[in-house]
Amino acid sequence: MMPLSMAKTGEVVVIKKITGKDEIRQHLAELGLVVEESVKVVSEVGGNLIIQVKESRIALDRTMANRIMV
């Protein structure tokens, strides 16, 4: 397992674990980021990611991306 922040642009990965407080995990789940969901890294700038989950694109800062293990 590695943090989502280490995934390369264009790579499709599967979420294995989400760490952090319950509020953070709940917020990410509302965005569609749940365990066993596939996400694609669209672009990366300075550690901040734009990812695609299903039909949505979401921007995550490095801190949030480090909480998502793939």
Side-chain angles (χ1 to χ4, degrees), residues 54-69:
K54 297 181 182 166
E55 301 302 317
S56 301
R57 288 188 178 192
I58 301 169
L60 293 177
D61 67 0
R62 179 184 289 274
T63 307
M64 283 292 203
N66 282 332
R67 291 188 174 125
I68 301 170
M69 303 302 286

Side-chain angles (χ1 to χ4, degrees), residues 4 6-8 30 35 37 44 47 52-53 56 60-61 65:
L4 180 59
M6 293 180 65
K8 305 290 184 219
E30 289 169 358
V35 174
E37 184 64 54
E44 183 265 330
Q52 183 167 346
V53 183
S56 301
L60 293 177
D61 67 0

Side-chain angles (χ1 to χ4, degrees), residues 5-20:
S5 59
M6 293 180 65
K8 305 290 184 219
T9 301
E11 190 174 358
V12 177
V13 294
V14 177
I15 297 173
K16 298 294 182 192
K17 180 180 175 183
I18 298 176
T19 62

